């Protein structure tokens, strides 16, 4: 594969453009190329190639967005075909009971990756979006994923943090120990002052977290126990389906 003068492969430069779409809201081609840190001629040529492949699209007003082909490819990833497919019916059940946002997430080196999200009209503010990454040490879903993480996943996450929260923050260490003991996490007002995140792990046969199942509810909701029961029932159901696959 051809390299640039800096030694960077074409694929790496194309990936920088796709990553820049994620961080720059509705950029123009010029803004996208600048955000990716590419030379103008190189960037425009790559954008044209990515458009021809269906990986980028440009709207009538000149805004660049991810192309439909990226979404089509993403649907074939194991995380969509297995975890998301198994979880979705149970998430819909939780959503109908709690009447607030319900989401599924996994632990990634960068943080907590949102795999699926269901909401309701009038639900409390929830900034999480599918494919977003949120901080693991500041979210209830992150706490259950860290508390029940497989050693390799935990090591990869810690490697990306600077400084390492698990050595720097004794409060986080205590909280994760409590999460392991009680089997769920609830954090109020950290991401949004008006909301609380309530999360349980989806466990495999080794009692390791495959994912986190979360509801985002009003901070002073009187229905937290009901929400927790719905999450726990759904989590067991997802685990059972995954083990049968």
């Amino acid at each position: 594969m051809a390299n640039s003068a800096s030694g960077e492969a074409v694929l790496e430069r194309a990936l920088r453009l796709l990553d820049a779409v994620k961080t720059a809201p509705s950029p123009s081609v010029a803004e996208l190329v600048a955000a990716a840190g590419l030379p103008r001629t190189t960037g425009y040529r790559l954008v044209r190639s990515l458009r021809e492949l269906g990986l980028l699209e440009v709207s009538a007003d000149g805004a660049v967005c991810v192309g439909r082909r990226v979404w089509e490819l993403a649907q074939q990833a194991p995380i969509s075909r297995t975890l998301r497919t198994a979880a979705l019916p149970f998430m819909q059940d939780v959503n109908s009971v709690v009447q607030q946002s319900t989401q599924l997430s996994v632990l990634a080196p960068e943080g907590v990756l949102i795999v699926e999200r269901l909401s309701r009209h009038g639900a409390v503010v929830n900034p999480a979006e599918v494919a977003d990454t949120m901080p693991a040490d500041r979210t209830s879903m992150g706490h259950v994923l860290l508390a029940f993480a497989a050693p390799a996943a935990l090591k990869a996450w810690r490697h990306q943090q600077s400084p390492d929260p698990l050595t720097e923050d004794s409060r986080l260490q205590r909280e994760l120990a409590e999460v392991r003991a009680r089997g769920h996490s609830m954090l109020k007002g950290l991401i949004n002052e008006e909301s609380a995140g309530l999360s349980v792990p989806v466990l495999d046969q080794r009692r390791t977290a495959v994912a986190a199942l979360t509801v985002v509810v009003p901070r002073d909701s009187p229905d937290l126990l009901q929400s927790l029961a719905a999450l726990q029932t759904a989590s067991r159901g997802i685990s059972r389906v995954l083990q049968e696959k």
Side-chain angles (χ1 to χ4, degrees):
M1 182 175 291
N3 285 1
S4 66
S6 66
E8 187 177 41
V10 172
L11 185 58
E12 293 172 321
R13 285 176 279 161
L15 186 58
R16 283 167 62 184
L17 282 169
L18 292 171
D19 282 339
V21 175
K22 189 169 61 174
T23 58
S26 303
S28 66
V29 175
E31 290 168 339
L32 179 64
V33 170
L38 295 174
R40 183 181 177 88
T41 302
T42 300
Y44 271 72
R45 184 175 65 249
L46 280 173
V47 169
R48 183 170 62 250
S49 296
L50 292 172
R51 289 182 67 186
E52 291 170 353
L53 292 169
L55 300 175
L56 285 180
E57 295 178 1
V58 180
S59 67
D61 62 359
V64 184
C65 64
V66 172
R68 187 177 68 179
R69 192 171 183 186
V70 174
W71 179 84
E72 291 170 345
L73 291 169
Q75 301 313 300
Q76 300 306 311
I79 200 169
S80 280
R81 289 193 298 160
T82 54
L83 176 59
R84 179 179 172 276
T85 300
L88 197 52
F90 296 97
M91 293 179 66
Q92 290 167 340
D93 289 343
V94 172
N95 197 242
S96 67
V97 170
V98 179
Q99 301 283 305
Q100 296 285 341
S101 294
T102 306
Q103 59 204 38
L104 184 74
S105 58
V106 296
L107 184 64
E110 300 81 9
V112 178
L113 175 65
I114 309 300
V115 176
E116 183 58 273
R117 177 182 183 269
L118 303 178
S119 191
R120 289 269 177 164
H121 179 70
V124 71
V125 173
N126 176 17
E129 296 288 348
V130 174
D132 273 357
T133 303
M134 302 187 72
D137 56 333
R138 289 179 52 81
T139 57
S140 65
M141 53 189 165
H143 282 199
V144 296
L145 288 167
L146 292 173
F148 292 92
L154 184 60
K155 181 179 179 180
W157 176 78
R158 295 180 70 173
H159 182 71
Q160 289 286 98
Q161 313 306 307
S162 182
D164 179 357
L166 293 187
T167 59
E168 296 288 328
D169 191 343
S170 59
R171 291 175 299 177
L172 178 60
Q173 295 180 46
R174 290 195 299 271
E175 166 64 11
L176 296 185
E178 292 172 5
V179 169
R180 283 190 292 271
R182 65 179 179 254
H184 70 272
S185 174
M186 183 174 68
L187 295 179
K188 295 184 176 183
L190 285 184
I191 301 297
N192 181 276
E193 291 184 359
E194 300 176 358
S195 65
L198 178 62
S199 298
V200 300
V202 176
L203 301 173
D204 62 16
Q205 292 174 314
R206 295 168 295 182
R207 302 288 296 170
T208 295
V210 176
L213 189 61
T214 302
V215 291
V216 179
V217 298
R219 180 175 180 143
D220 298 317
S221 171
D223 302 317
L224 289 175
L225 288 178
Q226 181 185 18
S227 299
L228 178 59
L231 283 175
Q232 291 170 330
T233 299
S235 171
R236 289 192 292 268
I238 299 168
S239 296
R240 184 179 64 251
V241 172
L242 289 174
Q243 291 169 23
E244 291 171 352
K245 288 186 177 293

